[in-house]
């Protein structure tokens, strides 16, 4: 049944609607982003079990304690898995073909117990590849602070 089908005396009208949203990333991700502004990679740590989360999480997934300790991690890590992306998301939210395929990898930073999805600039990528964060010299907002990761020499 189509919407409105079977109803009598239904009048339809269009109403212009331009919603504005204020969205918060939450306290933990805010601290993470504040760290990126200072070129620091901050992870949250569970005091109960010692698990280190990057990106940070407020609640430990193992013991459900609040992770209230912060640790700065090195810029280095290891590729745990990866894929080749051929499309990206345009500014308008639509998918668009990328000019060049990009490597998107799950990287576990040294000292972390979890992985973070990042772009890797490398000729070849493989599981176990050692990588290092590359800071964007002129970031276009905090999300752009880490431009990509490159293979360690
Ligand atoms: Zn824990």
């Amino acid at each position: 049944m189509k919407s409105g089908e079977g109803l009598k005396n239904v009048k339809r009208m269009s109403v212009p609607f331009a919603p504005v949203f204020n969205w918060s990333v939450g306290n933990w991700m805010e601290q993470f982003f504040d760290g990126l502004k200072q070129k620091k990679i901050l992870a949250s740590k569970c005091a109960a079990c010692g698990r280190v989360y990057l990106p940070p999480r407020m609640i430990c997934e193992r013991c459900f304690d609040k992770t209230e300790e912060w640790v700065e991690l090195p810029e280095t890590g290891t590729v745990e898995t990866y894929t080749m992306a051929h499309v990206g998301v345009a500014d308008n939210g639509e998918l668009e073909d990328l000019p060049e395929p990009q490597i998107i990898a799950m990287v576990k930073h040294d000292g972390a117990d979890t992985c973070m999805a990042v772009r890797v600039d490398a000729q070849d990528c493989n599981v176990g590849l050692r990588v290092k964060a590359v800071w964007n010299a002129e970031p276009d907002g905090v999300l752009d602070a880490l431009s990509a990761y490159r293979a360690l020499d």
Side-chain angles (χ1 to χ4, degrees), residues 42-55:
L42 299 178
S44 62
K45 183 176 182 179
C46 175
C49 72
R51 193 165 170 82
V52 175
Y53 291 93
L54 185 69

Side-chain angles (χ1 to χ4, degrees), residues 27-130:
N27 290 341
W28 266 242
M29 286 307 287
E30 237 178 79
Q31 290 195 55
F32 172 69
F33 290 135
D34 285 346
L36 291 182
K37 288 178 194 169
Q38 302 165 46
K39 297 190 176 178
K40 291 180 179 178
I41 297 171
L42 299 178
S44 62
K45 183 176 182 179
C46 175
C49 72
R51 193 165 170 82
V52 175
Y53 291 93
L54 185 69
R57 292 197 189 149
M58 191 169 82
I59 304 294
C60 177
E61 67 187 17
R62 293 279 165 89
C63 61
F64 303 111
D65 263 27
K66 199 168 187 179
T67 62
E68 300 197 73
E69 187 179 337
W70 289 88
V71 291
E72 183 177 350
L73 297 183
E75 297 174 341
T76 52
T78 304
V79 171
E80 297 290 321
T81 188
Y82 68 96
T83 190
M84 190 70 75
H86 294 269
V87 294
V89 179
D91 289 341
N92 64 4
E94 299 288 324
L95 295 179
E96 67 180 0
D97 289 334
L98 294 172
E100 299 286 330
Q102 294 180 351
I103 299 167
I104 306 297
M106 294 302 285
V107 168
K108 186 187 283 185
H109 269 254
D110 297 337
D113 293 300
T114 57
C115 294
M116 185 162 70
V118 301
R119 190 168 63 82
V120 172
D121 276 339
Q123 291 293 332
D124 292 310
C125 192
N126 54 60
V127 172
L129 180 71
R130 296 283 298 152

